[in-house]
Amino acid sequence: MPASVKDVAALAGVSSSTVSNYLNHPHVLGEASAEKVRAAIAQLGYVPNESARQLRAGSSTTLALVLLDAWIPYFQELSRGVEDVAREGGWSLFFSNSNRDGDLERRNIDMFEAHRVQGIVIYPLGDVVPRLEQLAERGIRSVVIGPIRESTTVGSVRFDDRGGGRLAGEHLVALGRRRIRFLGAPSVSQSNDRLQGLRDAVDGSAATIEVDEVAHLATEDGLDAGARIVALTPDERPDAVFAANDMVAIGVLTQLLRHGIRVPDDIALVGFDDVAQAHQSVVPLTSVRQPAYEIGRAAGAALLQQLAHPDAPLPAPTPFAAELVVRESTIGR
């Protein structure tokens, strides 16, 4: 059983309150008492229970990050940005993965409230603003990554998803592509915004859009979507695919190449996020660049700003601008 404060006090020959002062208010102890406690802690290997201390105090030095899908490289980069800002500010950071499950997302938020975190950064599946506004009333501040409805207590950091979708669509239309298949999850607001941007670009042109919904935006979803394309006759197949993220696009690319379908000669392919795998793939992938690390840092900084100035009005979010990175999956060698 781990050593307790009472064990340390007994070995040091002091009271439990003296040990508590050593841990929390060392300046009030004389050097002789402090040395006795220090020696006892070293001998017993005592480790303070920080969670219990924070619960007693009613506050913590801990923040939380709730991710939509932690296994996707984009979210790994984003989380690194949040974590770096938290560490630089002297905060600890808990992570959780909602795995695109609304019930799990709600449970994750409830769990962090129970752990008395001071703030939450979340990339949500659904509309979490009402719940986060409740937390704000209890002193837990939050920042959403993505578009949210107007709130005076919930901050947001945004990327121009619709503008990114428009850039991808304009590129494909300019290349003469006329049958564009969108692969995404319209139930997720960011994915739906990318689809709307694609529609903006295609509107008034000779091109058409077909939507093939994929559930989790993982490479396996791209492999499945690619198999559906391969099963079509050449006349039925799209001549362009715009995937809502790079991992889906890479799955599609793998299937197309396995079955002798040329990229981009037969089908041009565009992804989204511009993760490292995009330019490392066998046919380097054209992608809409989304600076995940910088977005994570911005979200972490916005949360720390709220915590430092809880009564200040929230600044209006300025979306990160989209950039199209053109590679061989649309223009060839």
Side-chain angles (χ1 to χ4, degrees), residues 15-332:
S15 67
S16 295
S17 62
T18 298
V19 177
S20 178
N21 281 333
Y22 175 85
L23 296 172
N24 300 295
H25 310 288
H27 61 281
V28 305
L29 291 185
E31 182 55 34
S33 295
E35 180 55 36
K36 290 179 181 179
V37 175
R38 187 181 301 115
I41 286 175
Q43 182 174 335
L44 293 172
Y46 170 74
V47 177
N49 187 334
E50 180 65 12
S51 295
R53 186 195 69 78
Q54 291 175 0
L55 283 171
R56 286 194 300 272
S59 64
S60 72
T61 57
T62 304
L63 307 176
L65 174 60
V66 182
L67 294 173
L68 181 68
D69 192 336
W71 305 113
I72 292 178
Y74 167 79
F75 289 111
Q76 294 167 11
E77 277 296 290
L78 186 149
S79 65
R80 191 167 64 87
V82 178
E83 183 180 21
D84 284 353
V85 168
R87 184 186 300 113
E88 291 162 10
W91 294 82
S92 301
L93 186 68
F94 288 153
F95 293 83
S96 71
N97 178 27
S98 295
N99 200 30
R100 300 181 184 273
D101 182 325
D103 288 337
L104 181 56
E105 182 176 80
R106 287 186 287 275
R107 292 200 300 273
N108 285 336
I109 294 172
D110 292 345
M111 173 186 68
F112 288 133
E113 180 186 18
H115 278 80
R116 310 284 179 88
V117 301
Q118 292 294 288
I120 298 174
V121 174
I122 181 169
Y123 193 114
L125 174 64
D127 180 11
V128 295
V129 170
R131 179 71 174 101
L132 298 179
E133 288 176 333
Q134 290 178 346
L135 296 186
E137 294 174 357
R138 299 164 192 164
I140 300 174
R141 306 309 294 265
S142 57
V143 172
V144 173
I145 298 177
I148 64 170
R149 60 179 179 79
E150 186 175 350
S151 175
T152 60
T153 57
V154 178
S156 69
V157 171
R158 306 178 186 183
F159 177 78
D160 187 6
D161 290 284
R162 187 162 184 162
R166 184 168 56 251
L167 287 176
E170 289 171 349
H171 178 61
L172 293 172
V173 170
L175 292 173
R177 305 294 171 155
R178 296 294 178 260
R179 300 187 309 279
I180 303 172
R181 178 170 289 201
F182 175 79
L183 304 177
S187 59
V188 177
S189 61
Q190 289 87 343
S191 182
N192 187 60
D193 284 346
R194 295 166 195 179
L195 172 58
Q196 296 308 316
L198 175 63
R199 286 177 170 149
D200 293 341
V202 166
D203 187 37
S205 75
T208 60
I209 299 171
E210 180 183 6
V211 177
D212 184 357
E213 185 166 354
V214 295
H216 298 293
L217 299 182
T219 305
E220 291 76 11
D221 297 281
L223 289 169
D224 292 341
R228 291 192 289 273
I229 293 171
V230 167
L232 300 172
T233 67
D235 290 339
E236 294 172 329
R237 289 173 189 153
D239 60 10
V241 171
F242 174 35
N245 75 4
D246 290 335
M247 305 317 294
V248 170
I250 289 169
V252 172
L253 175 65
T254 300
Q255 284 286 32
L256 298 181
L257 297 181
R258 282 176 181 170
H259 291 83
I261 297 173
R262 300 170 301 168
V263 176
D265 301 66
D266 299 323
I267 298 178
L269 184 58
V270 179
F272 207 105
D273 293 338
D274 197 34
V275 298
Q277 291 89 334
H279 65 81
Q280 295 168 355
S281 59
V282 61
V283 178
L285 183 66
T286 293
S287 184
V288 177
R289 176 172 290 163
Q290 184 175 193
Y293 178 78
E294 289 78 7
I295 290 172
R297 285 196 66 92
L303 181 58
L304 294 188
Q305 183 71 11
Q306 282 192 49
L307 294 173
H309 305 282
D311 297 325
L314 297 178
T318 301
F320 281 78
E323 175 190 358
L324 183 70
V325 182
V326 178
R327 299 192 181 95
E328 295 169 17
S329 69
T330 57
I331 62 170

